[in-house]
Amino acid sequence: MDPALTPAPAPTPGLSAPATPSFWHDSLPEPIKPRPSLPADTAVDVAIVGAGYTGLWTAYYLKKAEPSARIAVLEANYAGFGASGRNGGWCSAIFPSSLTKVAKVARSREAAIALQRALNETVDEVGRVVAAEGIDCHYAKGGTVVLARSAVQLERAREEVSESREFGFGEADLQLLTPLEAQQHANATGVLGGTYTPHCAAIHPARLVRGLAEVVERLGVPIYEQTPVTAIRDGVVTTTLGTVRAETVVRATEGYTPSIRGFKRTFAPVYSLMLVTEPLPAETWEQIGLAQRQTFADYRHLIIYGQRTVDGRFAFGGRGAPYHFGSSIRPEYEREPQVHAELKRVLGELFPVLRDVAVTRTWGGVLGVPRDWFASVGIDRARKLAWAGGYVGDGVGASNLAGRTLADLLRGEHGVATDLTWLPWVGHRSRQWEAEPLRWLGTNLGLRVMSSADAEEARTGRPSRRAALFGPFIGH
């Protein structure tokens, strides 16, 4: 067997870990103090499992619409412990599947357009709520620049813009950039062009999720932390501390979903890793760009992403860490020295002024990947179960749209029909991931192919044929 496809050995026992999961948690204005756990068995109208963005947005909008609703949020660790507190801080309008794929799945071009418009509007909705509720999450709507640094990548940019035009979106939504225009956004090496969309805001993700939790509590929704959920069935949530009965249970657990009995193959938890530099002086940022705090990426296969923080650091991340056998999630997997070193190398390649800059923190976290890379929102009234997720790393914005949609679906005995409840991701069901070892083999082979495809394209100047076989791993 290829050594790259050999299961990783168990982590070394006793390996120390940072006190908090990420730089974002480190830089919160106050230390994290866990809330009380579930005190006893209880009954509510809606039980929400997971105190990340999806769960908290759902609680927020539902409680706003139905002040008398009895809602409880259950969290294994503390609000924002998972991806909601560790991500790259892109509040974007990105959906993990293309417009063409959404239209095919929905059998409707109009439905795909409606979903994208709703996601575009969601970026502003998040900005509205954080301003109204006084959540200081460093929200800055600077848009996103995606650079093309090879002829193959430039063709990819042109294809994305062409698809956008075919669905009726103009330059106000996505613009093809000349080399000079692209460099004016982000002055990276070898830039041949790129794209720019205004539909993204840079945020401090942990400040957003922690602030949202405080708002939800003020509305009268209890958040029971340090309360791991082990099973969900027919309106009954089983935790290690007691049972919660509900008219409907919302599963909002994203990459941690496989840890719940009966959902092992719903999502594949795939790690994304990040680093952050020391604060950079103004003259360094003048050489880099990102003056409006634009979020930043390029058109390589294996995704990279970055942003300029409020205090002048470069937060940079990417995929490439392996999927772990049996959907295993462990703190030790958040530190992959080879991957973090490669991220530092890539950052220096893109911006030579950063080659010798100090990296002050590295971290990682899991994102939820459905088998067809198609995020979904849904409700099964017979099973008393609702859900949202499968954002594949682009959930900061999508989770807000999901929370509003779930709130509509949960209102009253049969929900409230709105424009949101008709969007094409509502009711979508992705097929289950394969059982092990096929899940582990396929996922890691796909990651390996995407990594080698970038090197192949740089060498040959032509699109990788092997990458086409693993289309879901291409792009955002």
Side-chain angles (χ1 to χ4, degrees), residues 100-122:
T100 300
K101 181 175 178 179
V102 174
K104 183 178 179 180
V105 170
R107 299 181 181 179
S108 168
R109 179 177 179 275
E110 290 71 26
I113 293 170
L115 177 58
Q116 188 60 62
R117 284 179 176 162
L119 287 165
N120 293 350
E121 293 164 1
T122 291

Side-chain angles (χ1 to χ4, degrees), residues 103-439:
K104 183 178 179 180
V105 170
R107 299 181 181 179
S108 168
R109 179 177 179 275
E110 290 71 26
I113 293 170
L115 177 58
Q116 188 60 62
R117 284 179 176 162
L119 287 165
N120 293 350
E121 293 164 1
T122 291
V123 179
D124 293 324
E125 169 64 9
V126 172
R128 182 194 69 78
V129 174
V130 299
E133 300 292 355
I135 300 173
D136 181 11
C137 65
H138 303 168
Y139 179 99
K141 192 184 177 187
T144 296
V145 59
V146 184
L147 301 179
R149 299 176 63 248
S150 70
V152 176
Q153 290 187 18
L154 184 57
E155 183 57 30
R156 231 170 261 145
R158 289 171 175 152
E159 289 172 355
E160 183 176 353
V161 172
S162 177
E163 180 188 51
S164 179
R165 298 292 183 269
E166 289 173 6
F167 281 84
F169 295 97
E171 286 211 354
D173 295 299
L174 184 67
Q175 179 186 359
L176 185 66
L177 303 175
T178 66
L180 179 59
E181 289 170 337
Q183 287 179 316
Q184 287 172 341
H185 284 284
N187 190 29
T189 58
V191 174
L192 302 180
T195 60
Y196 173 77
T197 175
H199 301 304
C200 188
I203 63 160
H204 184 302
R207 278 174 168 260
L208 174 57
V209 69
R210 298 293 295 178
L212 185 57
E214 292 176 4
V215 171
V216 165
E217 275 191 315
R218 289 201 298 269
L219 291 175
V221 177
I223 301 173
Y224 298 116
E225 298 183 338
Q226 306 171 87
T227 304
V229 170
T230 58
I232 302 170
R233 185 178 177 85
D234 298 332
V236 178
V237 183
T238 304
T239 82
T240 57
L241 300 173
T243 299
V244 178
R245 298 182 180 276
E247 292 301 313
T248 308
V249 178
V250 177
R251 193 196 74 227
T253 44
E254 197 57 0
Y256 295 88
T257 300
S259 67
I260 301 173
R261 194 180 310 145
F263 298 96
K264 187 75 170 179
R265 292 163 55 192
T266 300
F267 295 146
V270 174
Y271 279 82
S272 196
L273 304 184
M274 289 197 70
L275 59 80
V276 70
T277 70
E278 63 187 346
L280 305 174
E283 55 267 28
T284 299
W285 279 112
E286 288 175 4
Q287 296 181 59
I288 296 170
L290 305 181
Q292 306 304 315
R293 291 191 62 211
Q294 301 94 317
T295 54
F296 154 82
D298 70 11
Y299 277 97
R300 72 187 65 207
H301 290 298
L302 205 60
I303 296 170
I304 60 166
Y305 51 91
Q307 70 143 294
R308 177 178 180 169
T309 67
V310 161
D311 63 347
R313 301 170 188 265
F314 205 128
F316 187 68
R319 311 286 164 82
Y323 161 82
H324 296 278
F325 193 89
S327 295
S328 177
I329 299 172
R330 299 184 64 164
E332 293 87 350
Y333 300 155
E334 299 162 16
R335 286 165 289 151
E336 294 279 352
Q338 289 183 333
V339 178
H340 280 119
E342 176 63 9
L343 287 173
K344 178 63 164 61
R345 186 199 68 77
V346 170
L347 186 60
E349 176 189 275
L350 291 163
F351 303 101
V353 70
L354 298 179
R355 281 177 179 159
D356 298 322
V357 72
V359 170
T360 60
R361 186 71 150 85
T362 61
W363 71 95
V366 291
L367 48 93
V369 182
R371 184 62 180 82
D372 59 358
W373 279 50
F374 201 104
S376 65
V377 178
I379 189 166
D380 185 333
R381 300 189 192 280
R383 296 175 60 197
K384 298 184 177 182
L385 177 68
W387 68 88
Y391 310 119
V392 197
D394 288 306
V396 180
S399 62
N400 174 277
L401 180 58
R404 285 183 282 143
T405 306
L406 281 171
D408 289 344
L409 292 171
L410 292 165
R411 290 172 59 192
E413 186 177 353
H414 302 292
V416 176
T418 65
D419 289 344
L420 300 185
T421 62
W422 290 103
L423 292 175
W425 68 337
V426 177
H428 176 78
R429 292 179 182 266
S430 303
R431 70 184 179 92
Q432 297 280 292
W433 278 92
E434 290 79 3
E436 299 289 22
L438 293 178
R439 180 163 75 251

